[in-house]
Amino acid sequence: MGKTLKKMWGISEIPIYCLIFWSILSVGLLATKLIDTTLQSILGWVVIISAYGYVGYHAKAKGESIGFAAKTGAFAGVIVGFIGAIIGIISYYTMPDLFAQVLADAIENGAPAELTEKMMEIMVYVGLLIQPIFSAVIGALFSALGGLINRK
């Protein structure tokens, strides 16, 4: 098992660092209002698809199966998702203006104020469970696709 994890880390290390860097950068860009949420989402998906696609492509280039490429993408997704959730918690407490704006936008669109605020508080921590699972699924999917692109 140790060799497998080491091999997965070797294939996914650079994409993991890139995705963590993007998580930090996107929070900073949103907090400084240098980018709007729509553009941030689009760029985020480009980075995500590229990074996980690279994982699968690289795994196939090393002679691994599509299944191994998908597992490696899921492995990377769990790491990135967990660190992303921690970044979200830190951001919630260190950038209250950013979350206040999100709350104000939600209320402006008809969401009940107290419920929305309480849900935001809860969801920051629920993200510790949900984000790694969601990121693992996305990582497996796009890594498998990246592996299929490199099929010989």
Side-chain angles (χ1 to χ4, degrees), residues 69-151:
K71 287 177 193 172
T72 303
F75 167 78
V78 167
I79 294 169
V80 170
F82 184 72
I83 292 172
I86 291 171
I87 291 168
I89 291 170
I90 292 169
S91 299
Y92 182 76
Y93 290 106
T94 60
M95 297 181 219
D97 293 344
L98 179 62
F99 286 89
Q101 183 60 47
V102 171
L103 180 61
D105 290 346
I107 292 168
E108 185 178 302
N109 289 321
E114 281 185 39
L115 179 63
T116 304
E117 186 173 9
K118 192 50 96 178
M119 287 300 293
M120 282 178 63
E121 289 175 21
I122 293 168
M123 290 310 293
V124 167
Y125 293 101
V126 172
L128 283 171
L129 298 172
I130 294 173
Q131 255 184 280
I133 294 167
F134 179 75
S135 294
V137 171
I138 295 298
L141 175 70
F142 288 115
S143 293
L145 290 173
L148 287 171
I149 290 170
N150 194 21
R151 216 159 99 179

